[in-house]
Amino acid sequence: MTEERIGVYVCHCGSNIAGVVDVEGVAEWAREALKDRGVVIARDNKFMCSTLGQELIENDIEKEGLTRVVVAACSPHLHEGTFRTACQRAGLNPYLCELVSIREHVSWVHKDKAVATQKAKAIISGGVERVALHEPLEPLHVPIHSSTLIVGGGIAGIQAALEIADSGYPVYLVEREPSIGGHMAQFDKTFPTLDCAACILTPKMATVGSHPNINLLTWSEVEQVDGYVGNFTVTIRKKARYVNTDLCTGCGICEEKCPKKVVDEVFEAGLGYRKAVYTPFPQAVPKYPVIDVDNCTYFEKGTCKACEKFCPTGAIDFEQEDEVIQVEVGNIILATGFDLFDARRISQYGYGRLANVFTSLEFERMCNAAGPTNGEIVLRDGVTKPESVAIIHCVGSRDKNYNNYCSVICCMASLKFAHLVEERTGAEVYNFYIDMRTAFKDYDEFYQRVLEEGAHFVRGRVAEVTDAARMPGEEGKLIVQAEDTLIGKQRRIPVDMVVLAAGLEPRHDSKEVAHKFGISCSANGWFIEKHPKLDPVATMTEGIFIAGVAQGPKDIPASVAQGAAASARVLGRIQQGEIALEPVRASVIEERCSGCRICNNLCPFNAISFDEEKKVSVINAALCQGCGTCVAACPSNAITGTQFSNEQVLAQLNGLLMLNVANGHGAVTEAERVPA
Amino acid sequence: MTEQFEPLIIGFTCNWCSYRAADLAGTSRKQYPPNIRLIRLMCSGRLSPEFVLKALQGGADGVMITGCHPGECHYLEQNFKALRRFALLKRVLAQMGIEPERVRLVWASAAEGVHLAQEITDMVEAVRALGPLDWAGVASNGSAHAIPAAEIVGEEVSA
Amino acid sequence: MKYGYYPGCSLERNAKAYHQSAMAVAPLLGLEFVEVEDWNCCGATEVIAVDQMAAYALIARNLALAAEQNGNGHLVAPCSACFLNLSKADHYMIESPELAEKVNTALAAGDLHYEPGTVKTSHLLQVITEAVGLEAIAEKVTKPLYGLRVAPYYGCLIVRPGFEKKYDDYEYPTVLDDLMKTLGSEVVDFPLKAHCCGGHMTQISEPVAMELIRRLLHNAAEYEADLIVTLCPMCQFNLDAFQDNVNKYFGTDYHIPILYFTQLMGLAFGLSPDELGIGTEFVSARPALDKILSEAPTKEKPKRPPKEALPMPSLGGEG
């Protein structure tokens, strides 16, 4: 028998609930049958969430002195906030209000009225039993540090960094490679405008490099993240460049004089060379080179040191060490981008074996005027111009054997390649596609333009790229064999060069990165957003946002938009200065804790630690996300969870089983069934 | 009309995935038997085995435990802990002579309203076939009804 | 390691050399092959096209006998078609209990029973590369096949379809290439190495088969192979016995000998050609084998690529 004064409100929701459940009967029943359980008033109303409905509750709280409220209506995911706020307005702690669903879980899924009504009664009984044990709670207020960490210096990260920095707040931009720019810096032209990628990117990069509010940490990686929203402590390792950046002027003499040439697997996609001491590309930001210790003669044998000899300012420092720093930030944006699908996995396309098969990234570097061929489209021998080029779409995408998803940008990229080939070589171009995905602004017009330029389109998945000639005209060529599904015939098309539009994949270490930051990854490896439709840049972890291709394949405009969106969210938080965290969390009752520490390892947010002096476990309320696993695991019942304590759940259970109502067993009796 | 036994099943849903799946079943108007009554927890990891036992003791004929798919838990990995507890719970129940089909673990993402409704329908029929749970009998006779461990070992819950 | 040995019909007749060389080489590698008693034809590709049920029963009879006679459940089949049929039947019997029941009803008539999954069938090449391993083989090589340009030809049935787990890449396998390298020969990586040899099309539609065989010979000749090495009696037969027909049909002049990998292994282990059935082939292998040098040829210094040439993608590490 409780001393609480509980008000029960049953919503009709128009006919959504009332059409199946006898709402007036239920309210009446609650008034009578649950009188002993604390219910002092029970009402029904057409639309509880309306202003009138809410006022009903507010008036009753004031006039009837209600101490608890149960609303039986739609899903708490919709209106829990509405009713909690209504209670708060009337002076009742919002956490003393419980919304139970008799719409999604009853009237919308059952047809038998008698049974549905009975179930609604049980659900209300559960709510009433439970709410009597609720406690008033206050949200946890946590201050927000005004600095932001952005991981990944590609276009999305750059955009986010500029937005926040321009608003006057400090940003740490961490980038793993020696320069920012990401994959976009590797491209030649961008679709559909055919803007030169470097021309539109480098001004932004330059701004980032000289912005007073951006602390640019390239050739660096995040090692550890501690803390919680508003108060993250991030450990960053600044890898040794072996170049003293205070002295380096970026003149490039070290790179010129270095005798060791190495294939550049990263920026040149394996198509070109760099030196052991290098900047990845001429417009690199920052302009300071790095030394690749795995390939440097000095680090291997102790000789050479040409860079040191020729450096006019003495900036080369072979003794330099990694520097590990810690920064305090309030929010984090992950914009780590993608890796290209490894086309060697599809052995029948011959990449890696047949010289003149290239991937899309290799081809971008080839087309780029600053690339290994100075923008000339040539075969692997570096000299011969191709007279025919085949471009294969969906390599490693839309494929059960590799990646099921569509990589979004390859169709447009392939059309771009087709255009560039025609423009620069006049060669015949064949695009082998499954569907043409040209959905956004000016994209389809670009497709039509390429069609008019005379590119050939074969709708069919390529079976094989081979050099085994079979018919006259095939000798010395690469033969692309595909079924042309529009004419229903097998085709063998001899070409000089094949370009594979390889798909986008998550970074190979995306799962580790996600774990480090405490967010989740989908099975594929893309970071998971809070809601796929309505919240694409936030994650389930407060304070951590995602932007760009790291969230899923997308083009540059979408990446920029997401970078800006994430920065807007962060700025909103910084503006408010503090954030209110839901008070659903666990805490240890010290007197009951025996120090067994079973709970310590259960928390994925590292919220539970052990107090060596008191020999009890302690939960950090700000880190705790309220899952309740530790509550369930404690053998001494020493951990209690607010809003979901054992007592509350068991009380709700008793209510559902109608154990506290006279004549209440859950099973429906014959008399209550509507005749068939 | 013959009186058909109507089992009562208590379902524990996790706030993020399976509760939303149940909501989705509602918005999709996907019908399922009314024999189940749902309790919302924040996470399947919150499920204490005592809840299951109390439910069965209190008159439920079966219990369904639901949560996010492994790898997709809102709290990262807590559904794995639920899985561990479930495995042990099944053995304990079997020792007491409670049929394994009375307690079922279902993974359902927020998009799988139809799947969850189907699982509920299947479970209601399965428990109906088993008949009402005689808790008093089980509690007093205990190991006399124990189900051999070999019958429940190796049961898999597909992710 | 003891294996049940299922020779299959061809190893008794036109592929006798395969059987002979396999038996000569096995003991040197510590392999004990015990022929399954009273085995019957696996049905090749014909029976299954005529009557599926009868075909599976026919195949399963061999599995039942093998299970009975060899306790450890390991069965080896040198012929690709036999290998495929045996693993296929087992796989489908595991997947479909109805099939297993019907098959066992048929087997019961002969007092036999087969529990699906009991016998694991491996191809002879699989046993040699996986169970024995290339390192152990390298140790036994006393007369490396220096200077011999060998084109490894897989045929299609060993890599496609792959049940249970893939045995090497479906399109571009390399296992036989590695074995040949271990024997000291120069491996010619020709692109049609896993393409169809025509199979029984020689009986059904000769022009088609002739073309398929011609393509393989042409490609191997293009790559200047001295010899084609195979692992399937059908492939060997088509390429070898029909080579003359191909020449007549197309006016070509191929003289490429086709040998079994076990024959080359035997030669590398120091066995005599007679022991290995060499000399029984249609296109004589003598001229090719005479090319074998007694010493490793001096490695040509790799030519420096011209300055303008673009680097090829590296085969290791990230792509």
Side-chain angles (χ1 to χ4, degrees), chain A residues 25 88 104 199 517 642 646:
Chain A
Q88 194 165 33
E104 282 86 341
C199 305
F517 286 87
T642 53
N646 280 346

Short mmCIF file of all heavy atoms in Angstrom, two decimals, chain A residues 25 88 104 199 517 642 646:
data_model
loop_
_atom_site.label_atom_id
_atom_site.label_comp_id
_atom_site.label_asym_id
_atom_site.label_seq_id
_atom_site.Cartn_x
_atom_site.Cartn_y
_atom_site.Cartn_z
N GLY A 25 -13.80 2.36 -20.30
CA GLY A 25 -13.88 1.24 -19.36
C GLY A 25 -12.57 1.06 -18.61
O GLY A 25 -12.55 0.78 -17.41
N GLN A 88 6.62 18.83 -15.26
CA GLN A 88 7.59 19.80 -14.73
C GLN A 88 6.98 21.17 -14.59
O GLN A 88 7.19 21.87 -13.61
CB GLN A 88 8.80 19.85 -15.66
CG GLN A 88 9.98 20.55 -15.06
CD GLN A 88 11.24 20.25 -15.85
OE1 GLN A 88 11.19 20.09 -17.07
NE2 GLN A 88 12.36 20.19 -15.18
N GLU A 104 1.03 1.34 -29.95
CA GLU A 104 1.93 0.50 -30.77
C GLU A 104 1.95 -0.93 -30.28
O GLU A 104 2.15 -1.86 -31.06
CB GLU A 104 3.37 1.05 -30.72
CG GLU A 104 3.63 2.26 -31.61
CD GLU A 104 3.28 3.56 -30.93
OE1 GLU A 104 2.52 3.51 -29.95
OE2 GLU A 104 3.75 4.61 -31.37
N CYS A 199 42.70 23.07 -57.18
CA CYS A 199 42.37 24.50 -57.20
C CYS A 199 41.31 24.87 -56.19
O CYS A 199 41.33 25.96 -55.63
CB CYS A 199 41.90 24.93 -58.58
SG CYS A 199 43.06 24.53 -59.86
N PHE A 517 37.27 5.41 -29.68
CA PHE A 517 36.46 6.56 -29.36
C PHE A 517 35.14 6.19 -28.70
O PHE A 517 34.35 7.05 -28.32
CB PHE A 517 36.18 7.38 -30.64
CG PHE A 517 37.38 8.15 -31.10
CD1 PHE A 517 38.31 7.57 -31.94
CD2 PHE A 517 37.59 9.44 -30.66
CE1 PHE A 517 39.44 8.27 -32.36
CE2 PHE A 517 38.71 10.15 -31.07
CZ PHE A 517 39.63 9.57 -31.91
N THR A 642 19.10 4.04 -11.57
CA THR A 642 17.94 4.92 -11.49
C THR A 642 17.01 4.64 -12.66
O THR A 642 17.46 4.28 -13.74
CB THR A 642 18.37 6.39 -11.58
OG1 THR A 642 19.19 6.53 -12.76
CG2 THR A 642 19.17 6.81 -10.38
N ASN A 646 15.96 -2.78 -9.75
CA ASN A 646 15.33 -4.10 -9.64
C ASN A 646 13.90 -3.99 -9.12
O ASN A 646 12.98 -4.61 -9.64
CB ASN A 646 16.14 -4.99 -8.71
CG ASN A 646 17.34 -5.58 -9.41
OD1 ASN A 646 17.43 -5.54 -10.63
ND2 ASN A 646 18.27 -6.12 -8.64
#
